[in-house]
């Protein structure tokens, strides 16, 4: 069973002045554990696509299903990570990471144990009592990711989470984040306008056309025997050649 399913989804925003058609007839289904990147030009409806899955908005036509059920609003099984980390300066790292658990009134002892474990595993155990201002951009995004993981979502939606970072940090963090999410066995939908970022992180790429967004290409990135490419293998020279081939192939679609 697909974890996320969009059936002939169309969407329009209505304001008092105008109507904007953002998505038209989008049919997509994502299986458990898949890492899908959605690529397309700015303004083509990528964030709208994520907001529909997050249950923040509803389609104008068609249907969104999550875990086989029609979506009626935001689900606790879905986590969202945005371009800006939204960490609070007056809270230290641990307090920031526990914020979602407090808001949801989860068992705080369990959440705290999980938070400390994740902070340690992902190299932040020495920064638990630091404030966000004392951290680098890459570390801040890792904290934001851990804050989401503490809530134990099955599905993670990432909306251009690296676009505010410099090039080197992006590369490093992209690697880190895909490793973490694979290790945690999450289903991921990543939105980006950067085709290279998509190829280097995802198992599958959906290319969207200009507005109204439709899916113009759906490409799996597979290793031998059809298995996804592990994060470590993506650094190997053999992958570079494969990478260039996919890039050439999809670039045409991204240009449309
Ligand atoms: P992307 O993430 O691909 O840049 P978006 O999904 O953010 O694209 O936006 C798609 C289109 O919808 C854009 O033209 C944008 O201006 C418009 N839009 C986004 N949010 C709203 C809104 N709340 N009300 C009206 N129009 C919107």
């Amino acid at each position: 069973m697909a974890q996320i399913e969009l059936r002939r989804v169309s969407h329009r925003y209505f304001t008092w002045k105008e109507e904007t058609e953002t998505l038209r007839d989008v049919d997509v289904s994502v299986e458990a554990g898949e890492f899908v990147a959605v690529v397309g030009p700015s303004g083509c409806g990528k964030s709208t696509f994520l907001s529909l899955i997050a249950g923040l908005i509803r389609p104008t036509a068609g249907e969104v299903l999550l875990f086989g059920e029609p979506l009626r609003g935001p689900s606790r099984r879905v986590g969202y990570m945005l371009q800006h980390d939204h960490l609070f300066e007056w809270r230290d790292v641990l307090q920031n990471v526990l914020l979602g658990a407090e808001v949801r009134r989860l068992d705080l002892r369990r959440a705290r144990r999980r938070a400390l474990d994740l902070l340690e595993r992902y190299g932040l155990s020495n920064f638990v009592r630091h404030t966000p201002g004392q951290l680098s951009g890459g570390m801040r995004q890792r904290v934001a990711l851990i804050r989401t993981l503490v809530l134990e979502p099955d599905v993670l939606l990432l909306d251009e989470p690296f676009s505010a970072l410099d090039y080197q940090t992006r590369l490093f963090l992209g690697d880190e984040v895909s490793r973490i999410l694979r290790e945690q066995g999450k289903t991921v939908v990543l939105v980006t306008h950067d085709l290279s970022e998509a190829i280097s992180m995802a198992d599958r790429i959906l290319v969207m056309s200009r507005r109204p967004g439709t899916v113009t290409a759906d490409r799996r990135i597979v290793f031998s025997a059809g298995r996804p490419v592990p994060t470590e293998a993506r650094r190997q020279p053999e992958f570079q050649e494969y990478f260039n081939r996919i890039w050439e192939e999809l670039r045409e679609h991204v240009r449309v």
Side-chain angles (χ1 to χ4, degrees):
M1 183 190 66
Q3 272 199 343
I4 304 167
E5 205 175 341
L6 279 79
R7 290 190 189 153
R8 300 209 66 176
V9 165
S10 298
H11 178 267
R12 286 163 198 263
Y13 284 113
F14 296 96
T15 63
W16 62 276
K17 230 172 55 200
E18 59 183 4
E19 185 181 319
T20 311
E21 187 181 9
T22 46
L23 299 174
R24 187 184 288 175
D25 274 343
V26 174
D27 264 312
V28 168
S29 102
V30 178
E31 302 297 319
E34 262 192 309
F35 193 132
V36 180
V38 181
V39 195
S42 178
C44 75
K46 300 183 296 300
S47 300
T48 305
F49 179 85
L50 279 196
S51 301
L52 283 163
I53 301 171
L56 300 173
I57 55 174
R58 282 169 174 258
T60 318
E63 202 177 15
V64 181
L65 291 101
L66 211 61
F67 315 106
E69 303 274 328
L71 187 60
R72 309 243 174 267
S75 160
R76 295 196 162 208
R77 295 174 68 184
V78 176
Y80 215 131
M81 185 171 158
L82 304 166
Q83 183 173 344
H84 297 287
D85 53 45
H86 300 287
L87 298 178
F88 293 117
E89 248 346 286
W90 61 90
R91 294 185 140 228
D92 65 25
V93 165
L94 182 61
Q95 289 166 338
N96 265 291
V97 162
L98 287 174
L99 185 66
E102 279 171 33
V103 172
R104 283 195 190 170
R105 298 176 187 277
L106 301 184
D107 175 350
L108 278 185
R109 274 179 44 201
R110 179 185 151 98
R112 195 184 146 88
R113 254 198 323 263
R114 184 164 162 76
L116 288 170
D117 177 53
L118 288 165
L119 288 165
E120 178 171 356
R121 182 169 331 183
Y122 299 125
L124 289 162
S125 52
N126 291 333
F127 300 90
V128 169
R129 293 295 168 206
H130 284 54
T131 56
Q134 296 172 297
L135 307 179
S136 68
M139 289 164 99
R140 293 178 65 114
Q141 278 303 59
R142 253 185 294 156
V143 172
L145 176 63
I146 292 172
R147 181 184 53 195
T148 312
L149 291 176
V150 166
L151 302 175
E152 304 184 56
D154 297 305
V155 172
L156 258 151
L157 308 176
L158 312 181
D159 195 353
E160 305 253 5
F162 315 118
S163 55
L165 303 169
D166 64 80
Y167 182 67
Q168 282 303 326
T169 312
R170 275 178 88 148
L171 285 186
F172 172 73
L173 199 68
D175 245 29
E176 274 282 297
V177 167
S178 40
R179 186 176 60 81
I180 294 171
L181 295 175
R182 277 173 221 283
E183 207 175 285
Q184 302 274 327
K186 303 294 178 195
T187 306
V188 184
V189 182
L190 162 78
V191 153
T192 175
H193 60 270
D194 184 343
L195 181 55
S196 303
E197 184 172 284
I199 302 173
S200 59
M201 289 181 73
D203 305 324
R204 180 176 162 207
I205 298 181
L206 301 176
V207 181
M208 275 174 59
S209 65
R210 286 198 188 288
R211 189 158 53 79
T214 51
V215 177
T216 53
D218 183 344
R219 175 71 153 89
R220 246 165 240 286
I221 299 186
V222 287
F223 216 29
S224 55
R227 283 188 315 250
V229 188
T231 310
E232 306 74 49
R234 289 172 196 252
R235 288 191 218 100
Q236 311 290 329
E238 298 87 311
F239 184 69
Q240 278 308 312
E241 205 183 298
Y242 182 54
F243 180 105
N244 291 339
R245 210 157 5 109
I246 302 171
W247 199 81
E248 284 298 329
E249 179 191 320
L250 293 181
R251 195 171 53 134
E252 294 302 314
H253 292 277
V254 177
R255 273 216 206 105
V256 177

